[in-house]
Amino acid sequence: MTAADVLQRLAQVIESRKGGNPEASYVARLFHKGTDAILKKVGEEATEAVMAAKDLDHAPADAQARQALVGEMADLWFHSMVAMSHLGLGPDEVIQELARREGLSGLEEFARRTAPKATP
C-alpha cells in the first residue's frame, strides 16, 4: 500500500459524502455549509499545524509534541482534501504536480510561477 493509495481511498470516501446527510456526516456537513466554511476550516487547521510545529521545534525530543504535529498535519491534509473535492480537484492532480516539480530547483520553480507574463 502506497501513500498515494491511502490518499486515493480517502478522496473516494470524501467524494461519497457529497450530497450526504449533514446530520450524519461531518464531511457532508462541511459540503453543505459551502466553500467559505470549508476554506475557513483549512485555515484553522493550518494555524494549528504551525503552532504544533513551533512546539516541536522548541522540544524536538518530546514524543507528545511530535505526535501532536502528526495529528495536526493529518487534519490539515484531510481538510485540504475536502476543499479540493469541493472545488473539483483530486489528489492525483496534486501528486502529478509534485512529480512535475521533482528535480527542479525550488528557486527556479518559484521564479517560473512569479515571472511576468509576456504580452503578445
Side-chain angles (χ1 to χ4, degrees):
M1 168 177 39
T2 68
D5 293 334
V6 172
L7 292 175
Q8 196 61 356
R9 281 197 317 276
L10 178 57
Q12 290 169 351
V13 169
I14 290 169
E15 194 68 25
S16 76
R17 299 303 194 263
K18 283 184 175 177
N21 180 355
E23 298 300 319
S25 165
Y26 172 72
V27 174
R29 186 177 319 148
L30 284 173
F31 283 136
H32 181 75
K33 288 181 177 180
T35 305
D36 287 348
I38 293 168
L39 296 178
K40 179 180 177 187
K41 193 63 183 167
V42 171
E44 289 171 5
E45 296 302 339
T47 299
E48 290 171 6
V50 167
M51 293 185 320
K54 295 292 280 178
D55 290 344
L56 182 59
D57 188 48
H58 291 294
D62 184 342
Q64 281 183 309
R66 182 178 186 83
Q67 188 54 46
L69 178 56
V70 168
E72 293 301 343
M73 287 295 187
D75 290 346
L76 177 57
W77 284 22
F78 174 80
H79 287 90
S80 294
M81 289 183 67
V82 171
M84 288 169 35
S85 174
H86 182 69
L87 297 168
L89 301 174
D92 285 344
E93 293 174 80
V94 176
I95 291 168
Q96 288 171 8
E97 176 62 13
L98 290 171
R100 184 191 69 75
R101 293 180 185 186
E102 189 174 10
L104 292 177
S105 156
L107 295 174
E108 180 184 332
E109 174 61 21
F110 180 74
R112 283 185 186 175
R113 287 184 278 139
T114 57
K117 304 265 191 253
T119 9

